[in-house]
Amino acid sequence: MSFILYGLAVSEGIAIGRARLASSATLKITRVEIGARRVEKEIARFDDALARTRKELMAIKASQSDSITDIGAFIDLHLMLLSDRELTEAPKQIIRERLCNAEWALSIQGENLVRQFEQIDDVYLRERGGDVRQVIERIIRKLSRRASRSASRSGKDETQIVVAHDISPADIMSIKDRDFAAFVTDVGGATSHTAILARSMTIPAIVGLRNASELIRDMETLIVDGTRGALIVNPDPAILKEYQSRKEQFERDQSKLKLLKTARATTLDRIKINLLANIKDTDDIQPVLESGAEGIGLFRSEFIFLGRENNLPTENEQFEAYRKVVEAMDKRPVTIRTFDLGNDKNLTPDDDHGNRKRNPALGLRSIRRSLNDLSTFHAQLRAILRVSALGRVRLLIPMLSHTHQIEQTLAAIGQAKASLREEKTAFDENIPIGAMIEVPASALSIGLFLKRFDFLSIGTNDLIQYTLAVDRSDEQVSTLYNPLHPAVLALIARTLRCAEKACIPVSICGELAGDPALTRLLLGMGLRQFSMHPAQIPMVKQKIKQSDISKLVPAVQRLLRTEDPSKIMKRLERLNR
Ligand code: PEP
Ligand code: MG
């Protein structure tokens, strides 16, 4: 049956492929096609993994002392699940029917079972879905230690589209080298870090589709229209043909925009605008070089840390990653932000029971976390300072809001510098140190920052979230996440005005900076430095080249005096005509 679902369009483009239903646990599993002759061997491999899992559980049970009765009860429950035909026989049927590897068959059956548990009213029984997941993961671990060699040899690539209830940034980082053409999720907001990652991978993505992962079956044909936020399931041939040609047109338009690479970003009234790129790791260097960016305005260094809870990157490992970027950018500036971990960017993927802390965005995140773990912070500061000897490096601190945090941070930088001096390790003594303005408190007490920092960068993704009290990752409140809210505009305008007066350079590195519909508004507000994902640079540059700031300023001033949202929208449309 063909149907369409609508969600939030978060990463442009069109992808056509097969649905690959996935959860955090199963994302790492690849579907491998097996020949009909391999079926019985694959089933034997599955039976062997079941037997070894059972043995392991019995051994754990035997090693528990009698006093820990709870653990014994859980193991009994897991052993009972291990004998259930739904887990032991149904995957074999999937292997036979779909000629696929055992891991894949088990993960598909696991998704089916967990979904059934989620629909149970009784809370106790519903929560047993988590036990099913744990048992499945245990079997999968056994299977992956003895991967089917001939199965992986006969594996064949197909364009895959990940369909998941949710995908954390850490999950995406763990699968980024695999070939996914797009992804769609039930939950998530347009400026969540998952969405930002999709843009950085330049693959189409839609989030906030609500129940897509329940309605879609594995291997169904999907069209992801990441520009309109439409997901077409089992399209009929005419729609498929129409989308093939739209896809080709989109790719042709993108190539044309690339011709702007070497053009200068200068307005009609000859004002030069600085266009910088946001990156997450060294994989993004090539797209930056191809985009014609004049430097890196935001290196989200925390992505190097994701998934590394028990094995944090050392100072040297970080130094190597930063060095690659600095050398590739030659003499162009590279702004490295100290790690902004926490909130939706956790060191490990969310566990499968959806256990998250409450209000993580308001918790121990970003610089708060760095100041709470001074040895990790110290190692990172040293790595950044060391790399400053090799190019034009700037150090950027996220999410500051209090004077004592500013002082502690500057003291930590001072200590890192002193330790390098003592060792006679080279670094730039005058490395520019900047602060992100992403909390309303910092925009309103901007004087604190102007006195102490060499540059500012407005993180509008968080500034909007914190000003409007709207979780940027929650699709249920996505309509309230409005960059054009008068309070948000007032805070941005204030920051730009005060920084200009104090002669402190200021950029915007949130998603607003890469939205061509807002380029003229931001130019009229006084922004001269934009930092965005490299793929957005050509579109924003094109808009800049068609704009006359002297004409924009009075119109933007009028817009900023407006409080009625519909009038703000009308004035914005007029600006863009
Ligand atoms: C922001 O908040 O706008 C920003 C650029 O930082 P991040 O999106 O990584 O939180
Ligand atoms: Mg931020």
Side-chain angles (χ1 to χ4, degrees):
M1 188 185 61
S2 176
F3 59 96
I4 305 185
L5 300 170
Y6 290 95
L8 300 169
V10 295
S11 184
E12 276 203 307
I14 290 166
I16 302 174
R18 300 279 194 159
R20 160 83 165 85
L21 282 171
S23 69
S24 176
T26 59
L27 261 175
K28 290 135 202 152
I29 296 166
T30 318
R31 181 182 201 277
V32 179
E33 268 183 46
I34 59 169
R37 280 190 305 168
R38 273 271 337 153
V39 166
E40 289 314 314
K41 277 200 179 145
E42 199 60 15
I43 288 176
R45 198 167 72 86
F46 178 62
D47 276 335
D48 174 57
L50 287 179
R52 284 185 297 127
T53 309
R54 200 168 291 123
K55 208 166 145 194
E56 182 181 69
L57 283 174
M58 303 284 278
I60 298 172
K61 193 178 169 198
S63 69
Q64 297 302 316
S65 72
D66 290 345
S67 55
I68 318 176
T69 47
D70 273 3
I71 295 189
F74 271 108
I75 293 177
D76 282 341
L77 174 68
H78 286 198
L79 281 165
M80 201 176 79
L81 289 169
L82 254 183
S83 326
D84 192 315
R85 291 180 65 81
E86 291 284 349
L87 264 185
T88 58
E89 296 307 313
K92 294 181 191 167
Q93 198 54 28
I94 297 177
I95 296 173
R96 284 192 193 96
E97 283 169 7
R98 305 199 197 173
L99 298 179
C100 61
N101 50 328
E103 290 90 333
W104 176 267
L106 182 60
S107 70
I108 294 297
Q109 177 60 5
E111 293 291 325
N112 293 338
L113 288 176
V114 168
R115 212 170 284 150
Q116 286 168 21
F117 273 91
E118 278 166 0
Q119 277 153 15
I120 299 177
D121 283 339
D122 182 275
V123 178
Y124 176 79
L125 288 178
R126 194 166 60 232
E127 284 176 356
R128 299 294 61 83
D131 293 289
V132 173
R133 278 201 180 101
Q134 285 172 4
V135 171
I136 288 174
E137 280 186 17
R138 207 176 267 281
I139 307 169
I140 285 176
R141 278 201 294 275
K142 291 277 170 295
L143 278 167
S144 46
R145 287 203 197 121
R146 288 198 193 159
S148 158
R149 270 196 277 135
S150 66
S152 43
R153 264 205 308 272
S154 60
K156 160 171 108 190
D157 279 349
E158 223 170 9
T159 306
Q160 290 193 356
I161 292 169
V162 174
V163 180
H165 178 67
D166 193 9
I167 307 182
S168 74
D171 285 334
I172 296 200
M173 291 303 279
S174 70
I175 58 159
K176 73 180 163 59
D177 297 327
R178 299 253 297 279
D179 231 1
F180 291 114
F183 72 76
V184 298
T185 60
D186 295 344
V187 299
T191 61
S192 63
H193 287 96
T194 302
I196 290 172
L197 267 176
R199 284 194 277 279
S200 90
M201 290 160 79
T202 51
I203 57 171
I206 307 174
V207 300
L209 284 156
R210 289 171 190 270
N211 53 354
S213 71
E214 283 168 32
L215 299 173
I216 296 168
R217 295 280 155 262
D218 206 48
M219 297 303 278
E220 280 183 321
T221 301
L222 302 180
I223 298 175
V224 179
D225 182 341
T227 310
R228 292 177 183 77
L231 175 68
I232 306 167
V233 185
N234 293 323
D236 61 40
I239 300 279
L240 204 54
K241 198 163 162 226
E242 162 69 18
Y243 265 94
Q244 295 280 15
S245 79
R246 281 195 200 180
K247 182 172 183 293
E248 283 157 20
Q249 184 60 44
F250 179 81
E251 285 158 5
R252 276 197 296 275
D253 291 347
Q254 291 300 105
S255 319
K256 265 194 227 148
L257 276 172
K258 282 196 183 139
L259 299 175
L260 282 173
K261 177 186 164 184
T262 51
R264 281 168 67 82
T266 310
T267 61
L268 293 172
D269 48 343
R270 311 188 79 74
I271 297 175
K272 169 80 184 71
I273 307 298
N274 223 213
L275 295 183
L276 303 165
N278 293 351
I279 64 167
K280 65 174 189 321
D281 58 20
T282 50
D283 288 354
D284 292 340
I285 296 174
Q286 199 49 36
V288 170
L289 296 175
E290 284 164 15
S291 73
E294 294 162 83
I296 306 290
L298 174 66
F299 182 164
R300 289 182 162 101
S301 70
E302 60 276 10
F303 282 96
I304 300 176
F305 290 68
L306 295 189
R308 303 277 306 263
E309 188 186 26
N310 300 315
N311 164 31
L312 289 181
T314 60
E315 177 187 321
N316 278 341
E317 189 183 338
Q318 290 183 62
F319 172 78
E320 283 308 315
Y322 306 149
R323 185 179 60 79
K324 276 192 196 139
V325 177
V326 171
E327 287 180 354
M329 293 312 291
D330 201 5
K331 299 200 168 49
R332 287 171 281 184
V334 175
T335 313
I336 306 176
R337 174 174 79 180
T338 58
F339 61 84
D340 177 8
L341 288 166
N343 192 24
D344 58 346
K345 287 177 290 191
N346 291 311
L347 282 169
T348 47
D350 289 345
D351 70 24
D352 287 327
H353 319 294
N355 288 338
R356 279 193 182 187
K357 279 193 185 155
R358 272 170 293 157
N359 288 331
L362 301 180
L364 193 64
R365 174 193 168 186
S366 209
I367 188 64
R368 302 171 181 183
R369 202 175 189 291
S370 304
L371 294 175
N372 201 45
D373 179 2
L374 282 172
S375 66
T376 307
F377 193 38
H378 184 70
Q380 180 172 45
L381 291 172
R382 280 177 51 98
I384 298 173
L385 287 167
R386 279 169 56 197
V387 86
S388 72
L390 309 177
R392 276 177 68 194
V393 175
R394 311 195 307 166
L395 175 58
L396 180 61
I397 312 293
M399 219 183 148
L400 288 163
S401 51
H402 296 269
T403 313
H404 67 267
Q405 284 178 320
I406 300 178
E407 278 160 8
Q408 279 173 31
T409 304
L410 295 178
I413 298 170
Q415 274 166 15
K417 282 184 171 181
S419 71
L420 291 171
R421 254 182 239 121
E422 210 168 292
E423 290 168 12
K424 303 208 180 332
T425 302
F427 67 94
D428 176 5
E429 285 281 358
N430 298 315
I431 181 172
I433 300 172
M436 289 191 73
I437 303 298
E438 39 188 2
V439 180
S442 36
L444 292 169
S445 52
I446 195 74
L448 296 176
F449 293 81
L450 295 170
K451 259 191 268 168
R452 293 171 171 88
F453 290 97
D454 302 308
F455 68 98
L456 300 180
S457 186
I458 310 177
T460 47
N461 303 337
D462 280 315
L463 188 62
I464 299 167
Q465 150 163 280
Y466 295 126
T467 305
L468 302 177
V470 176
D471 182 344
R472 60 193 268 197
S473 308
D474 186 348
E475 77 291 347
Q476 296 177 83
V477 285
S478 63
T479 51
L480 301 176
Y481 188 93
N482 179 8
L484 295 174
H485 189 291
V488 173
L489 294 179
L491 290 174
I492 299 174
R494 180 176 202 279
T495 307
L496 292 174
R497 208 172 46 240
C498 296
E500 194 197 352
K501 228 192 235 170
C503 297
I504 295 290
V506 57
S507 67
I508 291 186
C509 59
E511 299 302 290
L512 284 195
D515 183 349
L518 301 178
T519 305
R520 286 190 171 160
L521 172 62
L522 296 174
L523 287 172
M525 285 166 82
L527 186 69
R528 298 293 177 264
Q529 208 175 82
F530 296 61
S531 190
M532 65 198 79
H533 178 260
Q536 289 154 322
I537 288 182
M539 284 179 297
V540 171
K541 195 187 269 185
Q542 192 176 39
K543 201 79 188 175
I544 289 169
K545 293 180 80 59
Q546 297 162 347
S547 303
D548 183 330
I549 294 184
S550 64
K551 289 190 185 139
L552 290 176
V553 172
V556 169
Q557 288 310 317
R558 271 197 299 280
L559 185 149
L560 292 177
R561 284 195 295 271
T562 312
E563 285 191 333
D564 176 339
S566 62
K567 282 195 186 138
I568 292 179
M569 274 316 288
K570 275 203 191 103
R571 290 196 192 280
L572 182 69
E573 277 163 25
R574 233 175 281 154
L575 272 185
N576 282 327
R577 255 180 233 146

